[in-house]
Amino acid sequence: MQDILDQLEARRAEARQGGGQRRIDSQHAKGKLTARERLELLLDPGSFEEFDMFVKHRSTDFGMDEQHYPGDGVITGWGTINGRKTFVYAQDFTVFGGSLSETHAQKICKVQRMAMKQGAPIIGLNDSGGARIQEGVAALAGYTDVFQNNIIASGVIPQISVIMGPSAGGAVYSPALTDFIFMVRDTSYMFLTGPDVLKTVTNEVVTAEELGGAKTHTTKSSVADGAFDNDMEALAEIRRLFDFLPLNNREGVPERTFFDKHDRIDNSLDTLVPENPNIPYDMKELVTKIADEGDFFEIQADFAKNMLTGFIRLEGRTIGVVANQPMVLAGCIDSDASRKAARFVRFCDCFSIPLLTLVDVPGFLPGTSQEFGGVIKHGAKLLYAFGEATVPKVTVITRKAYGGAYCVMSPKHLGGDINYAWPTAQIAVMGAKGAVEILHRKELDKPDVIAQKTAEYEDMFLSPFRAAERGYIDEVIQPRSTRKRLTRAFALLKEKNLTNPWKKHDNLPL
Ligand code: HXC
């Protein structure tokens, strides 16, 4: 009997060695942790339950029948993060470069299916040379099976991808189909075709980092939602994000103990909006001052900075925040900001995360580059996302809400449940200068008349009261009591139950 037990331990020890000490050392030398070390940091200590540790590939070509590593380059299973269950897979670069074989894919598919059945998120730690070259179409089939599961799981369980090494070729599409992608600076990259192919086909000379590193994907392409300095920071931040997320689309947001007064008054908010309407202020300050313990997990912090998206908690419950940022482009909405916010709103709506919208927007960004780039369609995405979202929606207009941008930023007319404005709000078709220049074009050479008309316009329209008279604003609130008003509003809306009419699925303007 003892022999059999020892044999099991010996087999396990062999599997835990992955591709062997030399390759583990090489992984460390690149500043990367091994797949097992990563899982240890991601999950609660001792909570990891592994599956399929002894799976071996079945390929025989290119001498592969001589090379077997138990587990076949991916470690799969489940564990907990702060006591809440999650499924995981971590590709092991020390085994055939973490490349995906038929059996490697089957292991991932198994945990994907289990995650859907159990209603728990799945987190993939990607570090792979792509399709296992020796396996040909069997590897491609395996990838596509993973993609199909990603698609079916979308909107059912949160799916998070962390890119911790190479992710090249079609392999990028599994992360791209998930809800969030995070990257590690300097050690990870993602591209469809690598630098060598680019050089041959298009004559472009570019490094892997420039083409598909964390900076490129968090600032230019918006493929990734965030980047971290090293594996340890990345995994700690994924744990932090995980705590904000529901386990599935039926469970609702997690509730956790909070240490902040629900009716905390913050007098500094009364002077957050400068007297001069053309001077910017940092909307992030408002977000963190409202949030429980000032905790804000920002999504896509480095892309389309004119729009903020991320998670906070109010009374221990997760809230998705969408906010204009007057510090960048005066808070104007452009195509990138629209796409960024629309995707975030849809994520929140999938998983019953209530939405808080903070508005200070002078309009859509004008310009040929915007029009040629399809701002009409991208802006429509945001309109669509807010309009179809059935989760509790609370909006606060702090200053400008002009023109089409008013219509887009979760107003009453798109099903806003409670819409507040600060006394500094200006809700109008456009700013005073622009309005007077159009209405009194023939009198532009009379500065006195223009000044008087501008003052009249400002008095009449640049306040929250015209909108409040019509009930488009439910109440004008004191800035200092914003947290209190919001906690009460979201508490009221906790049981909101709204369903849109049945349809096979919608036709979002893609
Ligand atoms: C099999 C692979 C492999 C792969 C790497 N290895 N990629 N084995 N299939 N795709 C093996 C190497 O042979 C090596 O084995 C070990 O992994 C480490 O690789 P190195 O090259 O030594 O590491 P490094 O210098 O860090 O370079 C990493 C790399 C490079 C940039 C990922 O290995 C590489 O370019 N690999 C090929 C990438 C690729 O073209 N993949 C196919 C993409 S197309 P030993 O035994 O020496 O440790 C694709 C289609 C998917 O994926 C389509 C889905 C629809």
Side-chain angles (χ1 to χ4, degrees), residues 269-480:
L269 291 180
D270 285 353
T271 49
L272 179 67
V273 172
E275 284 192 9
N276 180 341
N278 298 322
I279 293 188
Y281 60 94
D282 189 358
M283 188 65 98
K284 228 182 261 186
E285 192 180 327
L286 174 59
V287 176
T288 50
K289 283 182 169 166
I290 293 169
D292 284 1
E293 295 102 33
D295 193 11
F296 176 41
F297 191 99
E298 197 171 348
I299 299 292
Q300 298 220 341
D302 295 319
F303 181 76
K305 292 180 174 184
N306 41 335
M307 187 77 85
L308 297 173
T309 53
F311 300 107
I312 62 167
R313 290 186 194 87
L314 289 177
E315 295 193 287
R317 303 182 81 239
T318 306
I319 306 283
V321 179
V322 177
N324 307 116
Q325 171 56 289
M327 301 282 279
V328 180
L329 294 175
C332 278
I333 302 177
D334 59 357
S335 296
D336 288 346
S338 303
R339 282 194 298 115
K340 167 179 166 176
R343 181 159 168 78
F344 181 76
V345 167
R346 282 169 65 85
F347 174 81
C348 290
D349 193 48
C350 282
F351 291 105
S352 307
I353 300 174
L355 285 163
L356 167 63
T357 308
L358 303 173
V359 185
D360 185 349
V361 55
F364 275 91
L365 186 71
T368 48
S369 74
Q370 287 296 309
E371 299 292 348
F372 296 169
V375 66
I376 295 174
K377 207 161 231 182
H378 297 305
K381 290 182 174 115
L382 183 53
L383 202 52
Y384 202 106
F386 272 127
E388 73 172 345
T390 55
V391 289
K393 294 186 283 196
V394 179
T395 302
V396 181
I397 301 176
T398 57
R399 189 167 61 176
K400 297 169 194 170
Y402 292 168
Y406 161 79
C407 306
V408 166
M409 291 300 288
S410 198
K412 207 83 194 151
H413 329 284
L414 289 179
D417 294 299
I418 298 186
N419 291 58
Y420 287 135
W422 283 4
T424 42
Q426 307 174 353
I427 305 167
V429 173
M430 60 176 70
K433 188 167 174 289
V436 171
E437 279 172 6
I438 293 170
L439 293 176
H440 303 280
R441 191 168 283 163
K442 292 191 184 115
E443 296 170 293
L444 286 181
D445 53 347
K446 299 177 197 153
D448 292 354
V449 178
I450 294 298
Q452 183 213 333
K453 296 287 178 200
T454 305
E456 269 174 29
Y457 185 90
E458 281 172 357
D459 275 356
M460 211 177 294
F461 292 117
L462 296 193
S463 84
F465 296 106
R466 277 296 166 105
E469 281 166 20
R470 291 187 139 74
Y472 300 160
I473 291 297
D474 295 300
E475 182 66 322
V476 182
I477 63 170
Q478 295 287 4
R480 61 175 168 269

Side-chain angles (χ1 to χ4, degrees), residues 239-258:
R239 286 178 63 88
R240 197 177 140 230
L241 170 65
F242 187 88
D243 285 348
F244 281 97
L245 304 182
L247 295 181
N248 57 58
N249 61 343
R250 292 176 188 274
E251 185 139 311
V253 295
E255 294 201 25
R256 62 180 231 172
T257 324
F258 58 102

Side-chain angles (χ1 to χ4, degrees), residues 23 30 93 96-97 99 129-134 140 143 147 166 168 170-171 189:
R23 294 191 181 95
K30 289 177 191 153
F93 193 80
F96 303 117
S99 58
R132 177 99 36 99
I133 293 164
Q134 297 89 333
L140 299 186
Y143 261 124
F147 302 159
Y189 49 86

